Amino acid sequence: MNTIIARFAPSPTGLLHLGGVRTALINYIIVNQKKKEFPNSKFLLRIEDTDKKRSKNEYVDNIINGLKWMGINWQDEICFQSERLDRHKEIAFELLKNKHAFKCICSSEELEKRRKENLKNNLNIKRICNVCENNEQIQKKKDNFCIRIKIPDEGTIKINDKIQNEVEVKNSEIDNFIILRNDGSPTYMLSVVVDDYDMKVNMIVRGDDHFNNTFRQIHIYNKLNWDIPEYAHLPLIHGSDGSKLSKRHGATDIIELKKIGYMPKAIINNLILLGWSPKKENELIEINEIINSFNINNLSKSSSIFDYKKLDFFNNYYLQDKDGFDYFIKFIKNDLIKKNYFIDDENKVKKIFLAY
Ligand code: GLU
């Protein structure tokens, strides 16, 4: 692949956490690797703020500030997904017009009843609506319907993921999922494909919690005759006890880590070693060297454990390194309480730094 257009597409429904930063960081690294040869490569930021109830402006700010603080810089204007709903809708109706999708009027109660019956009879039926597609009356309806994608019964979808390798899934295992809801709002499954296509994204690096969605999304690409991007699905990060990394293990919100006194360099060093090794004598590695030597194809597909002790080790190392003292002084001066120690006795603060 020549020019790479990659993106980070967080939903502002929570604070930017270490897992998100790692996804953004790896996108940033592969784009900056490519830029050396293909300067038009880009790393884009899209805020997926379509869930009106759960999305909050404070989370948007937190994501933007967190990425900036980490030095993970993107190109172009930020894309806000909520501003593109008409375009998503337009594509849903295009799919409908071209008979790649159908109108469905099943109520959630009906669908739930069918789901339960199938479960009781041990039937693994993915196509939960099997009546609307062939009902002419329903297909002629002007309102009060949702739009579902048509998935063929036969055939398979194959992905050659840079991390998960080759995986094939039968179409019969994929549901005829909703692309446009009853209220006219598009679903994530549709919006993400339309935005990635319009933004010319050709390389998608995201968490492997989206791996199953990829098989569904490829159906949308195929029906629209759009080029399918390359994929890399990153394994999730776990805490020391093996469960998904969460607050229980330590601070996970990036701005919280900033407040505690961690340096971006230390966080980057720790994050990049999850599932990847620079194969050198020690594990100390900074962003420029990472850009030179990182290879996404060598990233392990099993999940890795985030080690806070190691983070402390790196932070301690970088604080003692060339810019460490300046960082520390800036950190103290920006802290409402700690800055008073500095004002009182600058030398004492310097001595404390050297001692610790
Ligand atoms: N907005 C999605 C999320 O935060 C990510 C979408 C994607 O990367 O495709 O989980």
Side-chain angles (χ1 to χ4, degrees), residues 7 9-11 46 48 188 192 196 204-206 209-210 217:
R7 51 51 164 193
S11 305
R46 182 171 71 237
E48 303 207 321
Y188 155 74
V192 76
D196 281 334
I204 295 183
V205 180
R206 60 184 172 193
D209 47 339
H210 281 291
Q217 289 162 16

Side-chain angles (χ1 to χ4, degrees), residues 48-186:
E48 303 207 321
D49 54 347
T50 48
D51 183 340
K52 280 196 206 108
K53 276 194 206 121
R54 293 172 58 224
S55 298
K56 289 198 180 132
N57 283 340
E58 66 175 273
Y59 296 141
V60 174
D61 293 344
N62 176 274
I63 292 168
I64 293 174
N65 293 336
L67 290 175
K68 281 189 182 161
W69 177 66
M70 289 292 294
I72 303 177
N73 303 318
W74 60 92
Q75 282 80 54
D76 295 358
E77 298 270 301
I78 301 174
C79 168
F80 287 89
Q81 193 163 62
S82 58
E83 291 169 7
R84 298 184 29 86
L85 301 182
D86 288 345
R87 168 72 174 149
H88 306 156
K89 213 167 161 175
E90 176 192 318
I91 296 295
F93 278 94
E94 186 181 320
L95 287 164
L96 188 66
K97 195 175 107 205
N98 296 334
K99 306 243 174 317
H100 291 308
F102 62 95
K103 296 174 187 171
C104 164
I105 58 160
C106 298
S107 66
S108 43
E109 291 79 27
E110 266 172 84
L111 293 173
E112 196 45 39
K113 210 172 108 195
R114 265 182 242 159
R115 240 179 237 120
K116 278 192 184 140
E117 265 168 34
N118 289 342
L119 206 69
K120 209 169 77 194
N121 300 324
N122 249 336
L123 292 172
N124 178 16
I125 296 177
K126 300 286 174 194
R127 315 292 158 78
I128 201 73
C129 166
N130 48 13
V131 286
C132 298
E133 186 174 341
N134 299 317
N135 182 319
E136 257 179 56
Q137 281 323 92
I138 296 174
Q139 295 315 307
K140 279 187 192 144
K141 268 180 82 74
K142 292 273 177 277
D143 48 23
N144 280 329
F145 56 82
C146 71
I147 302 182
R148 285 181 186 274
I149 194 93
K150 287 187 188 174
I151 305 285
D153 292 326
E154 309 298 321
T156 58
I157 288 282
K158 201 194 281 180
I159 300 178
N160 204 346
D161 189 274
K162 286 189 177 297
I163 299 167
Q164 312 289 331
N165 301 328
E166 203 175 274
V167 181
E168 194 167 358
V169 167
K170 286 188 186 143
N171 286 339
S172 56
E173 288 295 316
I174 299 174
D175 54 333
N176 42 17
F177 55 92
I178 296 175
I179 53 173
L180 198 78
R181 298 183 193 91
N182 228 313
D183 61 4
S185 64

Side-chain angles (χ1 to χ4, degrees), residues 222-260:
N222 284 341
K223 286 175 190 303
L224 293 160
N225 261 326
W226 290 350
D227 287 343
I228 297 167
E230 287 200 53
Y231 289 99
H233 286 89
L234 301 167
L236 298 185
I237 311 178
H238 288 189
S240 48
D241 58 358
S243 65
K244 200 175 154 201
L245 188 69
S246 71
K247 272 205 175 119
R248 282 185 300 125
H249 303 106
T252 54
D253 151 30
I254 204 72
I255 296 295
E256 181 65 25
L257 287 161
K258 175 186 175 187
K259 282 186 195 147
I260 300 172

Side-chain angles (χ1 to χ4, degrees), residues 303-321:
S303 57
S304 328
I305 293 191
F306 189 86
D307 184 347
Y308 283 91
K309 280 204 194 99
K310 216 165 169 176
L311 178 64
D312 286 345
F313 166 80
F314 288 132
N315 210 49
N316 204 354
Y317 173 83
Y318 289 116
L319 276 171
Q320 291 177 61
D321 199 22

